[in-house]
Amino acid sequence: MYYVAKVNSDMCAEYKCNTCTLYCPEANTLMFDKKGNTSWVDEDRCKGCALCVYVCTDMLDRNCITMEMVSGKED
Amino acid sequence: MSLKYITPAERFKRYLPKDYVELVDYGPFGKTQDEAGPGNMGQFKELVEEHPMCSGCWMAYYIRLIFASLPCPEETVTLGTAGCGRLAISQAAVPFIYGNYGDQNAMASGLSRAFRIRFPDKTKDVITIAGDGGTMDIGFSMTMHSWIRGEKFTTIMLDNEVYGNTGGQESGMSPKGAILKMAPLGKQGEKMPATALAQAAGCVYTVRMSPTNIKKAAKIIRRAIFVAREVGPTFIHAYTSCNIEYSIPTEDVFADAKEKEKTRFQFEEYMTDAAKEVIERVEAEEKAASKARKAASKAEAV
Ligand SMILES: Cc1ncc(C[n+]2csc(CCOP(=O)(O)OP(=O)(O)O)c2C)c(N)n1
Ligand code: SF4
Ligand code: SF4
Ligand code: SF4
Ligand SMILES: [Mg+2]
């Protein structure tokens, strides 16, 4: 069991922002969808460090990212 | 490598691994920094692939930034050595050479000279990226002598102030008093003055920094590469914390990097007059090119 980051895209899309995507230690993991104006997480690649939470919550006070327990994939 | 070498024939693409095709189609090869650079990471396929470095590792982050900042990835070769960083550097879509422990700057000397002879009409970038142990301890003589000989390539030291990969021995770059798993009484000696040594040995451009500001960190990486092309050896000494050996909770890693920027890793940039001339020229050219591109795309839109 481990945690991965999840972006609340409705909240994220309220801002003009891609800051967290610039600070994830992993490449090709915390992505930005220009059309939807929101960041999103490729959960298979996320290592659960919560650095993105620090950026979104502590630095920017936007609280769009939460760490959530990985649930088994449905068939 | 070259752009031509990387790009597959259109009809052959369907037989190639998906990740490779994505890299060619959506990666940074042959693109400008405005199109695929540090400022829009997360919006193009980056060169670094999945790797086994720890969760929240600031060294992994800086490596991501290095690869996104390369002026010309298709004409670049990196060299490294044992240590955590090579675990990610070796997973990037840029040729990587890995030799015996600490010999990266010796190999890079031969390679950058050979490139200049073999490809006189091309610009090839050679960059060594290694840990503090690899650069300043075990590889010290080869690092110093490459600088003393004036070899034209870039050296980047990933300083986590410890031997991270082997479980916490002190290095010459650990700060005085640091208590580590395998230095339980605390380090007795001082942290080595890496940038001062580099300047004394003849580096024409040196920077010490904690990479917390993307734009600035990218600019420094590119400056070091541009100056090495024309003038002489360049050196970046970057703070890239080890959250495991220094027990930093991963969510605090960025805050720690900001704190170190105020203390041991205060920003310091040194350049000779010749290096300054190159930087001013190249940055003016880049600015003009970017402006021209923007004007052209505006004209197209009208
Ligand atoms: C000749 C030789 N001696 C020792 C080792 C074992 N070794 C592997 S990595 C390493 C130190 C790594 O420290 P550093 O260069 O600071 O890299 P880090 O893992 O901290 O990024 C050592 C001593 C080796 N691979 N080769
Ligand atoms: S930092 Fe927060 S608001 Fe900004 S892109 Fe990331 S999730 Fe969205
Ligand atoms: S938790 Fe860490 S690895 Fe996962 S998306 Fe956030 S910053 Fe990236
Ligand atoms: S041991 Fe330290 S430097 Fe090495 S990958 Fe883990 S956190 Fe990074
Ligand atoms: Mg180290």
Side-chain angles (χ1 to χ4, degrees), chain B residues 48 60 86 96-97 132 136 139 175 183 198 202 217 246 267 270 287 289 293:
Chain B
V48 183
R86 53 85 198 248
F96 172 64
I97 301 176
D132 45 319
M136 279 288 140
Y246 278 88
F267 184 73
Y270 158 90
K287 216 172 168 184
R293 271 194 308 274

Coordinates of all heavy atoms in Angstrom, one line a residue, chain B residues 48 60 86 96-97 132 136 139 175 183 198 202 217 246 267 270 287 289 293:
Chain B
V48 N 14.1 12.2 -19.7 CA 14.4 11.2 -18.7 C 13.2 10.3 -18.5 O 12.1 10.7 -18.4 CB 14.7 12.0 -17.3 CG1 15.0 11.0 -16.2 CG2 15.8 13.0 -17.5
A60 N 17.3 13.8 -8.3 CA 16.5 13.3 -9.4 C 15.9 14.5 -10.1 O 15.8 14.7 -11.3 CB 15.5 12.3 -9.0
R86 N 23.6 8.5 -11.5 CA 23.7 7.7 -12.8 C 22.4 6.8 -13.0 O 22.1 6.4 -14.1 CB 24.9 6.9 -12.8 CG 25.2 5.9 -11.6 CD 24.5 4.6 -11.6 NE 24.5 4.1 -10.3 CZ 25.2 3.0 -9.9 NH1 26.0 2.4 -10.7 NH2 25.1 2.6 -8.6
F96 N 25.0 8.1 -22.8 CA 25.6 8.2 -21.5 C 26.8 7.2 -21.4 O 26.6 6.1 -21.7 CB 24.6 7.9 -20.4 CG 25.1 7.8 -19.0 CD1 25.7 8.9 -18.4 CD2 25.1 6.6 -18.3 CE1 26.2 8.9 -17.1 CE2 25.5 6.6 -17.0 CZ 26.1 7.7 -16.4
I97 N 27.9 7.7 -21.0 CA 29.1 6.9 -20.8 C 29.5 6.7 -19.3 O 29.5 7.7 -18.6 CB 30.3 7.4 -21.6 CG1 29.9 7.6 -23.1 CG2 31.5 6.6 -21.5 CD1 31.0 8.2 -23.9
D132 N 29.3 14.2 -5.4 CA 30.4 14.9 -4.7 C 31.5 13.9 -4.5 O 32.7 14.3 -4.6 CB 29.9 15.5 -3.4 CG 29.0 14.6 -2.5 OD1 28.1 13.9 -3.1 OD2 29.2 14.5 -1.3
M136 N 34.7 15.2 -6.3 CA 35.7 15.8 -5.4 C 36.6 14.9 -4.5 O 37.5 15.3 -3.9 CB 35.0 16.8 -4.5 CG 34.6 18.1 -5.2 SD 36.1 19.2 -5.4 CE 35.8 19.8 -7.1
G139 N 37.3 10.9 -7.6 CA 37.7 11.3 -9.0 C 38.5 12.6 -8.9 O 38.7 13.3 -10.0
P175 N 29.5 18.9 5.3 CA 29.8 20.0 6.1 C 30.5 19.5 7.4 O 30.2 18.4 7.9 CB 28.5 20.7 6.4 CG 27.5 19.7 6.2 CD 28.0 18.7 5.2
A183 N 29.5 8.1 9.8 CA 30.4 9.1 10.4 C 29.7 9.5 11.7 O 29.3 10.6 11.9 CB 30.6 10.3 9.5
A198 N 38.0 25.0 -8.4 CA 37.8 25.1 -9.8 C 38.4 26.3 -10.4 O 39.0 26.3 -11.5 CB 36.3 25.0 -10.1
G202 N 41.6 26.7 -13.2 CA 41.5 27.3 -14.5 C 40.1 27.2 -15.1 O 39.9 27.5 -16.3
A217 N 18.2 28.3 -12.7 CA 19.0 27.1 -12.8 C 19.2 26.7 -14.3 O 20.3 26.2 -14.6 CB 18.2 26.0 -12.0
Y246 N 20.1 12.4 5.1 CA 19.9 13.5 5.9 C 18.6 13.6 6.6 O 18.2 14.6 7.2 CB 20.3 14.8 5.2 CG 21.8 15.1 5.1 CD1 22.6 14.6 4.1 CD2 22.5 15.8 6.1 CE1 23.9 14.8 4.0 CE2 23.8 16.0 6.1 CZ 24.6 15.5 5.0 OH 25.9 15.7 5.0
F267 N 24.1 31.7 -3.8 CA 24.4 31.8 -5.2 C 25.8 32.5 -5.4 O 26.0 33.6 -4.8 CB 23.3 32.5 -5.9 CG 23.5 32.5 -7.4 CD1 23.4 31.4 -8.2 CD2 23.9 33.7 -8.0 CE1 23.6 31.4 -9.5 CE2 24.1 33.7 -9.4 CZ 24.0 32.6 -10.2
Y270 N 30.9 33.0 -11.2 CA 32.2 33.6 -11.5 C 32.4 33.4 -13.0 O 32.1 32.3 -13.5 CB 33.3 32.9 -10.8 CG 34.7 33.0 -11.4 CD1 35.6 34.0 -11.1 CD2 35.2 32.0 -12.3 CE1 36.8 34.1 -11.7 CE2 36.4 32.0 -12.8 CZ 37.3 33.1 -12.6 OH 38.5 33.2 -13.2
K287 N 17.7 35.7 -27.6 CA 16.6 36.6 -27.4 C 16.0 37.1 -28.7 O 14.8 37.2 -29.0 CB 17.1 37.8 -26.6 CG 16.1 38.4 -25.6 CD 16.7 39.4 -24.7 CE 15.7 40.1 -23.9 NZ 16.4 41.2 -23.1
A289 N 16.2 35.6 -31.6 CA 15.6 34.5 -32.4 C 14.2 34.3 -31.8 O 13.3 34.1 -32.6 CB 16.5 33.3 -32.3
R293 N 10.7 34.6 -33.8 CA 9.7 33.5 -33.9 C 8.3 34.0 -33.5 O 7.3 33.6 -34.1 CB 10.1 32.3 -33.0 CG 11.1 31.4 -33.8 CD 11.2 30.1 -33.0 NE 11.6 30.3 -31.6 CZ 12.8 30.4 -31.2 NH1 13.8 30.3 -32.0 NH2 13.1 30.6 -29.9

